[in-house]
C-alpha cells in the first residue's frame, strides 16, 4: 500500500512539474510579437534585433503604437518587426497601409520588399511620405501579405497612428565647428585689415596726401631767372651806361 502511494505521489509531482514548465512563457516569445502580429517603432534605432533576427530586451522596450514625424520634414520613418504566419516563403512580400474615410476603407500605400528570405521573423524600415497620403493624427491599419501564386495571404496584422510632436532635429557637431571656424577666420581677417590701415597711417603721418611742392626760382650767379630778376637788372645797367657815355660827350664838348 505504501509503495503504491509513493508511486502515485511521484507521478503527480512529475505531472505538476511538467505542467509548470509547459505553462511558463518562452522568454524569446515574450520578447517579441505573437504569430501574425506586427510591432512598430520610430526610426531605425528602435526595435533592435540580434544576429538571429530576434528582438533584444532593449529593442522590445521601444515598441510604440504612435510614430513621431521626422524633424523638419513631412514624413515618418517607420520600423516594423513581425512574426509572420507559417505559410511565409522566400520571395517578394508586401506591407499595405489602409485608412478609413467616411466609413469606407481605402489603401494608401503598398511597400514591396523583393529580397525577403522567407524567415518568420521579419524586420524592415519604411518611409511614409506626406505627399502620398499620410497625415498626422491618423490611424492606419497595416498588413503584411504575400502571394502564393493564386492569391494574397495575410502574414501579419497591426495598427499604427502617425503623430507630430514638433521635435527639432539635433544639431550636428560638424556644422557647429564649421560655423565657429568661419567666425574665427572673419575676425582674424578684420583684425589684419585694421593693422594694415594703422601701418599705412603711421608711414604717411596723418594718412593725408602731402602738400604740393612750390616751385622756387632757380638762381644763377646771384641773379634770378624769373621776371624782375636778370632781365630787369640788364635793362637798368644799359641805361646807366648810356647816361655815362652822354655825360662824357658833354664834357668833351
Amino acid at each position: 500500500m505504501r509503495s503504491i502511494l509513493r508511486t502515485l505521489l511521484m507521478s503527480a509531482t512529475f505531472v505538476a512539474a511538467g505542467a509548470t514548465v509547459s505553462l511558463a512563457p518562452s522568454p524569446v516569445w515574450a520578447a517579441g510579437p505573437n504569430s501574425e502580429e506586427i510591432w512598430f517603432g520610430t526610426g531605425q534605432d528602435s526595435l533592435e534585433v540580434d544576429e538571429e533576427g530576434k528582438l533584444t530586451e532593449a529593442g522590445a522596450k521601444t515598441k510604440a503604437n504612435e510614430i513621431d514625424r521626422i524633424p523638419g520634414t513631412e514624413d515618418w520613418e517607420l520600423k516594423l518587426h513581425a512574426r509572420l504566419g507559417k505559410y511565409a516563403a522566400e520571395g517578394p512580400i508586401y506591407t499595405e497601409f489602409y485608412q478609413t474615410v467616411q466609413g469606407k476603407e481605402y489603401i494608401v500605400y503598398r511597400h514591396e520588399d523583393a529580397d525577403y528570405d522567407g524567415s518568420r521573423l521579419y524586420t524592415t524600415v519604411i518611409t511614409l511620405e506626406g505627399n502620398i497620403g499620410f497625415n498626422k493624427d491618423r490611424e492606419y491599419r497595416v498588413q503584411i501579405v504575400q502571394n502564393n501564386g493564386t492569391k494574397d495571404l495575410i502574414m501579419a496584422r497591426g495598427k499604427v497612428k502617425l503623430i507630430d510632436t514638433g521635435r527639432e532635429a539635433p544639431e550636428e557637431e560638424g556644422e557647429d565647428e564649421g560655423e565657429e571656424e568661419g567666425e574665427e577666420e572673419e575676425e582674424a581677417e578684420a583684425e589684419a585689415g585694421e593693422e594694415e590701415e594703422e601701418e599705412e597711417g603711421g608711414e604717411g603721418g596723418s594718412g593725408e596726401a602731402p602738400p604740393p611742392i612750390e616751385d622756387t626760382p632757380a638762381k644763377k650767379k646771384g641773379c634770378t631767372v624769373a621776371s624782375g630778376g636778370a632781365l630787369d637788372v640788364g635793362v637798368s645797367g644799359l641805361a646807366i651806361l648810356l647816361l655815362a657815355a652822354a655825360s662824357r660827350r658833354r664834357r668833351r664838348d
Side-chain angles (χ1 to χ4, degrees):
M1 185 67 181
R2 291 181 179 178
S3 60
I4 294 173
L5 291 173
R6 187 180 298 115
T7 302
L8 291 174
L9 288 172
M10 292 177 65
S11 300
T13 302
F14 290 142
V15 170
T20 302
V21 172
S22 62
L23 292 175
S26 169
V28 174
W29 193 267
N34 295 322
S35 180
E36 300 184 9
E37 183 182 10
I38 305 175
W39 280 13
F40 303 97
T42 299
Q44 296 188 14
D45 296 335
S46 63
L47 301 178
E48 180 187 56
V49 297
D50 57 21
E51 296 178 353
E52 297 179 356
K54 300 175 183 176
L55 278 175
T56 64
E57 184 178 355
K61 293 179 181 179
T62 61
K63 171 193 172 184
N65 294 324
E66 296 182 343
I67 305 304
D68 202 359
R69 177 177 278 171
I70 302 172
T73 71
E74 298 295 324
D75 309 327
W76 289 264
E77 189 175 53
L78 172 71
K79 188 170 185 178
L80 62 84
H81 178 78
R83 186 179 295 273
L84 304 183
K86 61 182 179 179
Y87 295 108
E90 183 178 357
I93 198 168
Y94 303 89
T95 303
E96 299 177 339
F97 296 82
Y98 292 85
Q99 181 181 0
T100 301
V101 179
Q102 296 180 350
K104 293 184 179 181
E105 190 177 60
Y106 301 90
I107 186 169
V108 179
Y109 179 59
R110 194 184 203 209
H111 173 78
E112 179 183 3
D113 186 351
D115 300 325
Y116 172 60
D117 60 3
S119 173
R120 288 195 66 188
L121 293 175
Y122 178 64
T123 304
T124 189
V125 178
I126 304 174
T127 300
L128 308 180
E129 300 178 6
N131 60 355
I132 62 173
F134 290 101
N135 296 285
K136 66 178 181 178
D137 300 327
R138 300 283 180 86
E139 187 177 63
Y140 297 85
R141 183 177 70 83
V142 186
Q143 65 182 26
I144 300 174
V145 301
Q146 189 177 41
N147 191 282
N148 65 354
T150 58
K151 63 178 181 179
D152 287 344
L153 301 177
I154 299 176
M155 299 296 171
R157 301 173 176 85
K159 288 185 178 181
V160 66
K161 185 177 181 180
L162 304 182
I163 61 174
D164 182 11
T165 61
R167 57 179 179 154
E168 298 181 356
E171 296 182 357
E172 297 183 3
E173 294 181 358
E175 293 181 357
D176 295 340
E177 292 176 357
E179 292 177 358
E180 291 178 359
E181 290 178 357
E183 292 176 357
E184 290 177 357
E185 290 179 359
E186 291 179 359
E187 291 177 359
E189 290 177 358
E191 291 177 358
E194 292 176 358
E195 291 177 356
E196 290 178 0
E197 291 178 358
E198 290 177 358
E199 290 177 358
E200 291 176 358
E203 291 176 358
S206 62
E208 298 178 356
I213 300 174
E214 297 180 357
D215 294 335
T216 54
K219 295 182 179 180
K220 185 176 181 181
K221 295 182 180 180
C223 299
T224 59
V225 180
S227 175
L231 181 59
D232 294 341
V233 171
V235 172
S236 301
L238 180 60
I240 292 171
L241 292 174
L242 290 174
L243 291 172
S247 61
R248 287 177 182 175
R249 290 176 181 174
R250 290 176 180 173
R251 290 175 181 175
R252 290 177 181 175
D253 295 339

